[in-house]
Amino acid sequence: MKYIAFFFSLTFSLLVAVGLSINLASLPPLASIFDPFKGFWQNAYSEDHNPAESLFLEGLSEPVEVIFDEQLVPHIFAGSEKDLYMTQGYVTAAHRLWQMEFQVLAAEGRLSEIVGEMALPRDREMRRKGLRFGARNKLKHLQEEDPETLSMMQAYADGVNAYIRQLSIGQLPIEYKLLDYRPEPWSPYKSLIFLMNMAEILSGDHDFTYTNTRNLFGDSWMEHLFPETPEGIVPVISRESWGFEPEEVIMPEISYPDSGFFEKVFPGKEPGYGSNNWAVAGEKTESGYPILANDPHLALNLPSLWYAIQLSTPQNTVKGASLPGALGVISGFNENIAWGITNADRDVRDWYKITFKDDSRSEYLYNGQWIKSTFQLDTIKVKGQNDFIDTVVYTHYGPVVYDKNFMLEGKQLNFALKWTAHAPSNEQRTFLALNRAGNYQEYLEAISHFAAPAQNFAFASVDGDIAMTVQGKFPLKWSGQGKYLMDGSQSAFEWQGYIPDEHHAKEVNPGKGFVSSANQHPVSPNYPYYVFSDQYEYYRNRRINQQLSEMQGITIADMMKLQLDNYDLHAAENLPYMLDNLDSIDQAGAAGKWIRILEDWDYFAEANEPAPALFQSWWRHFQQKLFGSWQDNGLPIAYPSKYTLSLLLKNEPTGIWFDDLLTTEKETARHWINKGFEDMVVEIDAYMDSNDSLTWAEYKSTHIDHLIPNLKPFGRKALVGGGKNIVNASSADWGPGWRMVVALGPEIEAFGIYPGGQSGNPGSKFYDNLIDEWENGAYISIDLRNRSDLDRVLFKTIFNPD
């Protein structure tokens, strides 16, 4: 049966292969795919048997033992860190090689090599944004400043390459066969590109849409619709005094220029990416020791972004979730500490309008003088076509990303990107040091190397300490700097340095007995530096803080329950008001049944509930109707957050932003509430015409797709509750990709789960075997294990020096 299902999955995949530019016109690729000795049949296997009891791995100094548990989680026992990371590279590649390389090719701007011209715009953008530029800067920094970390990265690469060398054509992951290409050698540079890609995913800006919005509506609208510190926020860290003398930031006597209007929305951070983490002190737990929880929210894909692993040397053992392509454990614990991460949203990418002297673009204006630019010729290989040559201009700010040759359709405009991720930094060292850290001070030293993407690092230790640090490389900015497109010809718009590391927001052992973060404002308003992002979250964090404040005698089960909490605070704060403002005519007839369901709702967005679907539809249509009335002249503009709009809805329902200036009447919030309800009824009635019932899980339709979306048979649906702005933040295609709860103490207890499996092979039973448990809110034990503790073992392999 396994082979039959795999055959039909492959057959369907071949039907969509044309859309992926796979070369099916010639017989050899097809012949190789169906070759019984080299083709897809060789991928219809599962890793539940021992492929080899011993293997040779060139470069090892002594034997390394790898024991795979019942979930295919490797437990690597090595005598040295170099041997450890070399073996980690080999083992990770054995299960996730195609994923590792595909993600790096995407970040490096090389997808056109394997899928053809359709990927060319994205490839150009990744190159122009400087992901390769940043990775090269970081590699040079490692070569000059930290050869020890670089040697560990090289050991990891050596392990990956050892696996690649022994691969036969028949053993190649199925995606290589479908796309008709072969893996290439790994290197430390590729790991750095992978980390740059994480910075790209988690960094965002709306400079262009903010500029349009300000130019259209003026500063008054911006202050009301986009307040930098709305009322009622609960920051990550709040202090009465910060205990340091801040660096001076000089506010120039200038204002933003009238930058014109921009007809395109340039891609920013994907909406919804975020995470939760918290740590509770022993005084609030049943055991008397801290408990730490972490659930990062990213794209839900197969193979999973995460790969569970245990890494052991005689000095220490660490376990948790790794990222295939990077060394060590990213979110996890060892015998002494646990840590978890969330994205610390901050505006660390700014755009500058560049004025060139002439069409050659060899000089640009800066402080009344013409200074030299540099050029980089990028050769992009395109499958089935000639190479594409792209010319990228570099200024002292950074690369010119958008210009007459890219995205601006011949217009004489040039926009350069300045981004903290371009600078030399050493994020890999952070995780290697965290993996072996034993206390709070060693945790602080480890994270001090982390620059981008900025993260909130939660911490707990067996010593009883808990802590939270907002860590990254943050520019020194004057108030308001970077919200809008800036004039690159004036030095007044330059960053004035960086916030010193010792001035980053941090707290240890607070009196409230817990620390937490969920992508909200990082600091209270009295923090002496300018802090801004347009990506802050306003609901998950308040729910988490409210729950943790009330809890006592906390157990592991309580922390799991909170991670799975489906309470919709946004609905609870808005639905009663919306129902109160419905016109009576809307409550008659068939629509009345939807109202009754909403009135009876307890605000928990459970999978089988209809009310969450009704509310989300109503709110979406309410926003669309309101925003559609704004006279944006067809230009891309920014829109207020749910939180700000909710405050305006109740506090200023007659504000000018609710009035449709194209009508003679004075519209208020009530008008748009009713218009949104009417459209909701139309949508839901139409939905019911083709569905037997209305449930939140089916309506939301969370799906876990293969990294190549067209390979639908290699993905699957997941019927789960939760949603955007809910602690259990599962949306249609992103959500809690890794849930972890660690109870510190003399005997550490740890549990984790992710929606996928250890194997990247769709033919393996370990490809998606954990999705059902993730979907049902279950966890698996991820306790630290000695060799003798591993009683339920799939197989063992000894890696020997060559």
Side-chain angles (χ1 to χ4, degrees), residues 353-355 365-368 397 487-491:
K353 186 177 182 180
I354 304 299
T355 302
L365 187 63
Y366 185 74
N367 275 356
Y397 297 111
D487 185 351
S489 70
Q490 298 186 50
S491 61

Side-chain angles (χ1 to χ4, degrees), residues 226-233 521 523-525 531-532 536 538 643 647:
F226 306 97
E228 293 183 0
T229 310
E231 64 182 75
I233 65 169
H521 283 255
V523 291
S524 48
V531 172
F532 170 73
Y536 293 134
Y538 297 95
Y643 185 72
L647 294 177

Side-chain angles (χ1 to χ4, degrees), residues 291-508:
I291 301 177
L292 181 139
N294 186 205
D295 55 297
H297 309 154
L298 290 164
L300 299 177
N301 288 122
L302 288 170
S304 171
L305 178 69
W306 301 99
Y307 180 74
I309 199 166
Q310 177 177 303
L311 304 170
S312 299
T313 66
Q315 288 71 43
N316 81 300
T317 294
V318 62
K319 195 170 189 177
S322 68
L323 291 169
L327 285 68
V329 168
I330 305 300
S331 170
F333 63 101
N334 59 31
E335 303 101 321
N336 299 298
I337 72 166
W339 70 94
I341 52 178
T342 69
N343 200 39
D345 286 309
R346 202 78 151 256
D347 186 15
V348 296
R349 299 205 310 189
D350 285 338
W351 294 89
Y352 291 84
K353 186 177 182 180
I354 304 299
T355 302
F356 286 105
K357 186 175 183 179
D358 52 39
D359 287 345
S360 72
R361 299 195 293 174
S362 59
E363 294 178 283
Y364 61 99
L365 187 63
Y366 185 74
N367 275 356
Q369 297 182 332
W370 297 105
I371 63 176
K372 296 287 186 182
S373 56
T374 59
F375 294 82
Q376 177 176 301
L377 292 181
D378 263 336
T379 301
I380 304 176
K381 297 184 181 301
V382 182
K383 186 174 184 177
Q385 297 187 23
N386 295 330
D387 293 351
F388 182 91
I389 308 298
D390 200 11
T391 302
V392 184
V393 185
Y394 278 76
T395 68
H396 75 283
Y397 297 111
V400 174
V401 181
Y402 305 117
D403 58 20
K404 64 181 180 179
N405 298 320
F406 184 67
M407 296 287 283
L408 293 176
E409 299 168 349
K411 295 180 180 177
Q412 295 299 317
L413 294 170
N414 299 272
F415 302 133
L417 174 63
K418 186 177 179 69
W419 183 17
T420 56
H422 287 154
S425 60
N426 196 351
E427 287 76 17
Q428 183 63 82
R429 179 172 174 176
T430 287
F431 295 110
L432 298 186
L434 272 177
N435 283 199
R436 56 178 177 259
N439 54 48
Y440 175 66
Q441 290 302 322
E442 291 178 359
Y443 146 84
L444 285 181
E445 196 286 327
I447 66 175
S448 68
H449 303 283
F450 201 93
Q455 298 289 291
N456 302 306
F457 283 87
F459 166 87
S461 74
V462 294
D463 296 334
D465 293 324
I466 62 169
M468 180 73 73
T469 304
V470 183
Q471 178 62 36
K473 189 171 186 177
F474 303 120
L476 280 171
K477 294 184 177 185
W478 38 266
S479 181
Q481 185 178 7
K483 287 179 70 173
Y484 311 107
L485 179 67
M486 295 191 284
D487 185 351
S489 70
Q490 298 186 50
S491 61
F493 288 99
E494 291 273 16
W495 297 347
Q496 297 182 24
Y498 296 93
I499 296 174
D501 193 71
E502 59 269 22
H503 294 181
H504 291 170
K506 60 177 71 73
E507 63 179 349
V508 57

